[in-house]
């Protein structure tokens, strides 16, 4: 169950990144060299988690021409400190992948935006990442 929750959270983050950051092609014409760089921070530690995130980001990058997503491992023991420092320095990543209990405190500190209402309008269970459900 815990693994499934993390995968669903990751899929939702990737789907929202794709949707929330999107611009129409009439706004910007990107060539492969001009893709907007998006950074994900995660404290995923196991080889399976890292491989899964590698596969997901590679698949996302191949699926479109506007964004180039990469991810960075941040040790769980340093995550809160690094997020707080990045917030203070206005250098937060585009997406973070964290467990629900950790997310709430960052929303309460006004460091993260609560996107629950927006996410509820998406058909994440049917429209995105079919692989997550299996």
């Amino acid at each position: 169950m815990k693994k499934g929750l993390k995968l669903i959270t990751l899929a939702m983050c990737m789907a929202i990144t794709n949707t929330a950051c999107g611009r129409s092609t009439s706004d910007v014409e990107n060539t492969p060299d001009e893709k907007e760089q998006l950074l994900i921070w995660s404290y995923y530690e196991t080889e399976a988690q890292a491989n899964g995130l590698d596969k997901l980001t590679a698949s996302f990058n191949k699926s479109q021409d506007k964004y180039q997503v990469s991810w960075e491992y941040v040790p769980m023991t340093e995550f809160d400190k690094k997020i707080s420092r990045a917030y203070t320095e206005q250098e937060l990543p585009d997406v973070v992948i964290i467990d629900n209990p950790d997310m709430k405190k960052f929303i309460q500190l006004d460091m993260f935006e609560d996107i629950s209402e927006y996410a509820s309008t998406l058909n994440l269970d049917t429209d995105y990442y079919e692989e997550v459900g299996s």
Side-chain angles (χ1 to χ4, degrees):
M1 180 67 179
K2 194 174 198 180
K3 182 179 178 183
L5 179 59
K6 286 182 179 182
L7 289 174
I8 290 169
T9 302
L10 173 59
M12 187 171 88
C13 288
M14 294 299 291
I16 290 168
T17 299
N18 187 25
T19 305
C21 296
R23 289 182 248 174
S24 72
T25 53
S26 62
D27 293 339
V28 176
E29 290 297 327
N30 288 332
T31 63
D33 294 339
E34 296 174 345
K35 288 185 176 184
E36 183 176 346
Q37 301 296 309
L38 299 176
L39 178 62
I40 300 171
W41 283 357
S42 173
Y43 48 61
Y44 282 178
E45 295 181 340
T46 69
E47 185 175 340
Q49 290 169 327
N51 289 341
L53 195 46
D54 285 341
K55 182 179 175 184
L56 188 60
T57 56
S59 175
F60 176 81
N61 290 335
K62 288 178 186 175
S63 73
Q64 47 72 49
D65 293 326
K66 293 182 182 181
Y67 306 102
Q68 180 69 29
V69 175
S70 61
W71 74 279
E72 179 181 313
Y73 167 73
V74 178
M76 185 180 286
T77 56
E78 297 175 23
F79 208 82
D80 287 2
K81 183 170 65 174
K82 187 163 180 161
I83 292 274
S84 297
R85 187 175 338 118
Y87 178 76
T88 300
E89 296 170 1
Q90 297 182 352
E91 294 182 3
L92 283 168
D94 301 290
V95 175
V96 295
I97 300 173
I98 59 176
D99 289 328
N100 292 344
D102 295 329
M103 189 181 313
K104 184 177 181 178
K105 68 182 167 192
F106 290 115
I107 292 170
Q108 289 172 338
L109 291 169
D110 203 29
M111 295 172 86
F112 291 171
E113 183 176 350
D114 184 352
I115 59 171
S116 301
E117 187 175 320
Y118 171 74
S120 70
T121 67
L122 303 174
N123 296 318
L124 296 175
D125 56 338
T126 58
D127 292 348
Y128 298 96
Y129 305 106
E130 196 172 295
E131 210 172 76
V132 173
S134 54

